[in-house]
Every structure is written in C-alpha cells, then in structure tokens.
Amino acid sequence: MPSLSTFLQQLPDDEVLRLTTPVDLDHFPTALVLELEKRKQFPVLYIEMPSGFDMPVVANLFASRRRIAQIAGVSSPTEFHAAWLRAMSNLTPPEITSSGPVQEVVTIGDEVDASVLPISRHFQQDAGRYIGSGILVCKDPDTGVGNLSFQRLQLKSKNRFGASLHSRGHIWDHLLRSEARGKNLEVAVVIGAHPAVYLAAGAKVAMEVDEYDIAGALLKRPLELVKCKTIDVEVPAEAEIVLEGEILVNTHEDEGPYGEYTGYSTSRSTKNVFVVKAITRRANPIYLDIIPGYSTEHLLLGRSAKEAHVYHRLKEVVPSPIALNYPKSGTHFHAYLSIKKTDEGQARHALMLLFGLDPYLKLAVAVDEDIDVYNEEEVLWAIATRFQADTDMFVVPKVFCNQLDPSSVDGVSAKLGIDATAPLDWDVERTTLPPEAIEMAQRLIVQHKL
Ligand code: MN
C-alpha cells in the first residue's frame, strides 16, 4: 500500500540528504533548506536523530517540480498539468478498512502529549513550535462531505494548539455552521502520509468534492482509511501520525506570529483553539515537516494544484495557452502565461481571465509561445523587447485580494496586466543558430562534463 515510506524508498539516493548525527530542530532545518535553495539544490532532508526526540524528521519533500510530477504519477514536470486534469476527471472515493498501521500505538485522554513530537521552531519571529505540515481532516456538518486542508498549528501545551484557519477555506465554513449549533468541530490532523494526500489537500475544488477522492485518483487506487478512535472522522490507514480532536467553538486565544509564504512574519490570525483527544501513530513513525514561509517547498505545494486548475480553466476559453507558471519570486501573486496568438487582443483577454480565476494574482504577464515561462530571465527579456508601458499594459484598481500581501490596503489591491506578446505583423527576427552547431556544442559540453 502506498505510504510516505514507500515514496521515499523510490527516490534516488542523490535526492536525499541524510543527517545521521544529532540535529537541533530549532531553526537549523529551515536554515539548511534555505541555504541549499540559494545553491539551487532541493534534496529531501532526512534527519535521523533530532535532538531530544525519538523519531526521524523528513522535510523539503515538495521542493522539486520533478518530485511533484512523480507524486501525480508522471515522470516529467511538463506532464503535470495533464496528469492533474486526468485525476480530476477520475475521482476515486476511498475505502474504509478496519485497521491500519496509523493506529499501531494509541494514546487517549490524559496520556496525550503532543510535545514529544519533533515539532520544529522555524523562524525567529515565530511564536513557538509549529506544525505546518498537518492536513486537517473534517466533515461538512450538513452534508458529511470530507475536507482536507492545511492550517498552521502552534503547540501551546501537551494537548492544546493555537490554530489560524484560512477564512475562505471550507473548514472555516464548517466551523461557522458548527458554531451556529453550539458544537465543536471534530478534526483529525494527519502528519505524514503518501505525498499524493498532501497534493490533494492543496487542491482548489468545490466544497462538494472530498479531497480524499483526488488522492485516490492520483494514486490510481482507492485510498484506504480507518475510523478515528475518538471522533467521527476517517484518516489514511498508512499515515504516520494523527492527532484526533476538536476545534472549539466560541473560544479564541492568541496565536502567532508565524512566518507566512509571503516571506513576512504575520500576526493575522483567526485565533482558534484545537484540543487533542487522542494521538495515534505507527510504531516507528516518520514526522513529515514542511519548511514554511517563502520556501520553494511551501510555495510549490501550495501552487502546483492551483496552477494546473487555472491552466485548464483558461484552456476552456483561450484558444491556445501553451504554459502557465507561478514564479517563486511572485510568491502566490504573479503568473507568467505563454500563448500562441492568432488574433490581436487575445493576450489581454487571457490576462483578464487569469485575474478572474485567481484573486491572489496581482501581476500577470502574457508572452509568445517562443518564451519559456519557467525561465524568468526570458520572460523579463520579452518585457524588455516586446512591451511598451503606454500601450501594452492595464491596471484594474481596488480588487479583492489576499490580505497576507503586506502592501494591500483594506483587503483590496491593484491588478497589473502586461501584454509582452509581439504584434502579429511584427517583422523582427530573433537571432538563431543552425541545429547542427547547437548539437555539436551540446556534445562537447557532455564530453568535458561541463
Ligand atoms: Mn474541500
């Protein structure tokens, strides 16, 4: 059965950086990942002996587009958008099974102690130790449809966490409806599972879609779930660790600040409280961490599914979109789109659609098909040579936006569309080289191991 371990075992050795001596979890793993990023290296970290804890920690799993593609069952990042579309049209409901490794060890009630889990302190400004890699599983109080999402959890005591919930997420809507009935919202927090479950938890889908069905579609087999011991929620049988508990209604406590994906520490919080009733885990679990903030893994996990979703919606309307990239430099606020233009005005049309499909976007750039949107330098070159600011851009002021953007004002921001496509009747020629010369050069580079 697919699990986090089976996925890790498939990775080539040179993609895993194993730390075999004791490692301090406060700040160091985050620093290591960010320093490796500066050197364009994105290995999975496998920390065998976190100081003071008795289980290994894995981090940076989602930092490569190739691994994200692999999670979706394809070998190349260029196939990811298509793989995502296939999964979304083959939703595969889970199956409930009577037992699973995630319940090999069970602690309930007074025995619960979440502080023994190897929960890192990530950034200096963070209010404490945070679980950023927990998938919160809950059910719609009216329909029973399941929901998976990521919400940050601050360790407060052995059975209590501060939580900040995305106030536009489905879980927030579930909580409001539970609150109206005066009932706490039952939630299971899954820490460590096959990464397909993580990718599914980041999907942008309607409230009627259970993200477990997406995980099953990505895995091409129904995900096996077990019933929790103390709440009416199901969790992956092959998960590593699960916290069973409740988000309290009408209870608010300070939470944060926390380092968010924008690269800034934020105190914005819904100030909710999650109380743990039971912890279930494997006998020898792996604690999966996600390096938060403006890290490649945090941004890639957050945007891969969204990028694929937006791309396919665009394709339904725009005649020929080629590729869409949310560059890391734009956190979640910038998008680069290439199109094969057949009529003037198509680029602007596509840009307006992008802004309509994704309220987080502030800057969208359209380029021609010869520009690689994954190569930021090429996109900027297209702006330098095919764009004039007086005729080729538009600004839409005061649109609903993501409030974590520290430059936004009162929940609105401006949208900037840049059309860096060349006019159809352009008679300017790019410099080129004969293919034979390029092949010869490539062969020489390989020979000399350059
Ligand atoms: Mn949902």
Side-chain angles (χ1 to χ4, degrees):
M1 231 193 308
S3 66
L4 177 59
S5 297
T6 61
F7 186 83
L8 291 171
Q9 278 155 20
Q10 288 164 12
L11 293 176
D13 285 346
D14 61 2
E15 252 183 80
V16 182
L17 176 57
R18 276 184 179 272
L19 303 179
T20 54
T21 52
V23 163
D24 188 350
L25 287 186
D26 284 357
H27 310 307
F28 172 73
T30 306
L32 181 58
V33 162
L34 297 184
E35 284 302 311
L36 285 163
E37 280 192 25
K38 286 184 193 164
R39 292 155 179 82
K40 303 272 176 264
Q41 292 180 46
F42 305 92
V44 175
L45 284 195
Y46 197 114
I47 301 171
E48 292 184 1
M49 291 194 282
S51 298
F53 300 99
D54 64 359
M55 63 181 79
V57 173
V58 166
N60 216 31
L61 179 58
F62 301 98
S64 108
R65 279 190 184 266
R66 208 192 59 71
R67 287 198 290 273
I68 299 261
Q70 209 180 328
I71 295 165
V74 290
S75 52
S76 156
T78 57
E79 299 167 72
F80 177 76
H81 288 178
W84 185 261
L85 183 66
R86 273 198 301 279
M88 291 305 293
S89 37
N90 287 291
L91 294 178
T92 306
E95 283 169 2
I96 309 249
T97 165
S98 56
S99 67
V102 70
Q103 293 177 338
E104 281 168 352
V105 178
V106 177
T107 49
I108 295 184
D110 291 344
E111 306 284 291
V112 164
D113 186 2
S115 70
V116 303
L117 297 173
I119 302 171
S120 286
R121 185 184 293 270
H122 299 97
F123 294 102
Q124 279 181 296
Q125 293 82 0
D126 290 357
R129 292 163 63 195
Y130 266 90
I131 301 174
S133 54
I135 298 173
L136 277 68
V137 187
C138 56
K139 286 182 183 171
D140 186 306
D142 291 297
T143 66
V145 173
N147 188 64
L148 310 186
S149 62
F150 297 106
Q151 320 286 340
R152 70 192 200 211
L153 294 170
Q154 180 193 350
L155 180 69
K156 292 286 190 80
S157 70
K158 61 181 194 162
N159 69 344
R160 200 173 182 92
F161 287 83
S164 183
L165 308 180
H166 297 284
S167 53
R168 286 165 202 158
H170 298 159
I171 188 173
W172 181 250
D173 197 80
H174 295 181
L175 182 65
L176 291 184
R177 279 183 278 137
S178 293
E179 226 150 29
R181 290 164 204 191
K183 275 190 72 180
N184 293 335
L185 182 68
E186 293 188 329
V187 172
V189 178
V190 176
I191 305 166
H194 189 282
V197 185
Y198 275 77
L199 211 48
K204 299 285 171 249
V205 288
M207 198 156 350
E208 291 72 22
V209 177
D210 187 331
E211 287 84 1
Y212 276 144
D213 298 5
I214 305 173
L218 291 169
L219 291 167
K220 300 190 178 72
R221 56 184 286 178
L223 191 66
E224 290 191 4
L225 304 180
V226 289
K227 288 183 180 299
C228 285
K229 297 289 183 186
T230 60
I231 54 174
D232 178 27
V233 174
E234 291 83 38
V235 291
E238 291 292 325
E240 303 293 318
I241 303 162
V242 169
L243 312 180
E244 301 180 1
E246 295 178 333
I247 294 179
L248 305 182
V249 294
N250 304 317
T251 303
H252 295 92
E253 291 174 5
D254 279 348
E255 181 275 337
Y258 184 63
E260 272 296 350
Y261 65 83
T262 51
Y264 296 93
S265 179
T266 177
S267 296
R268 282 188 65 85
S269 175
T270 58
K271 299 183 191 293
N272 291 101
V273 176
F274 173 68
V275 174
V276 186
K277 297 166 90 171
I279 298 180
T280 73
R281 61 172 177 85
R282 287 170 174 260
N284 294 298
I286 297 169
Y287 182 95
L288 181 68
D289 191 20
I290 292 174
I291 302 300
Y294 179 70
S295 75
T296 296
E297 96 156 321
H298 191 206
L299 290 165
L300 263 186
L301 182 60
R303 78 181 182 223
S304 294
K306 177 163 74 176
E307 196 182 87
H309 171 77
V310 169
Y311 176 75
H312 288 295
R313 298 292 298 277
L314 269 177
K315 253 185 116 159
E316 289 166 2
V317 182
V318 175
S320 53
I322 305 292
L324 175 67
N325 178 29
Y326 279 60
K328 191 204 168 196
S329 58
T331 180
H332 284 292
F333 305 150
H334 294 175
Y336 302 153
L337 170 72
S338 58
I339 60 168
K340 182 175 167 55
K341 195 163 85 170
T342 53
D343 286 290
E344 291 300 348
Q346 280 172 338
R348 277 175 183 249
H349 176 223
L351 293 169
M352 290 195 297
L353 270 167
L354 272 176
F355 292 131
L357 288 168
D358 183 357
Y360 280 31
L361 286 179
K362 294 168 69 185
L363 167 66
V365 181
V367 294
D368 294 301
E369 59 177 326
D370 64 319
I371 301 297
D372 176 4
V373 293
Y374 294 100
N375 182 337
E376 192 149 57
E377 196 172 301
E378 273 193 44
V379 173
L380 292 174
W381 175 76
I383 293 175
T385 58
R386 300 179 190 181
F387 161 81
Q388 288 296 324
D390 57 344
T391 53
D392 300 330
M393 59 174 242
F394 62 89
V395 175
V396 184
K398 293 191 174 177
V399 189
F400 177 71
C401 74
N402 183 274
Q403 297 192 26
L404 285 181
D405 169 11
S407 68
S408 68
V409 180
D410 297 333
V412 297
S413 70
K415 312 287 171 174
L416 170 60
I418 289 184
D419 176 0
T421 61
L424 285 170
D425 58 2
W426 218 34
D427 60 355
V428 178
E429 212 179 337
R430 271 186 87 154
T431 52
T432 55
L433 288 164
E436 312 85 71
I438 295 173
E439 278 165 37
M440 205 187 297
Q442 287 171 341
R443 273 202 304 277
L444 182 134
I445 288 167
V446 172
Q447 271 169 18
H448 290 258
K449 298 192 173 74
L450 295 173

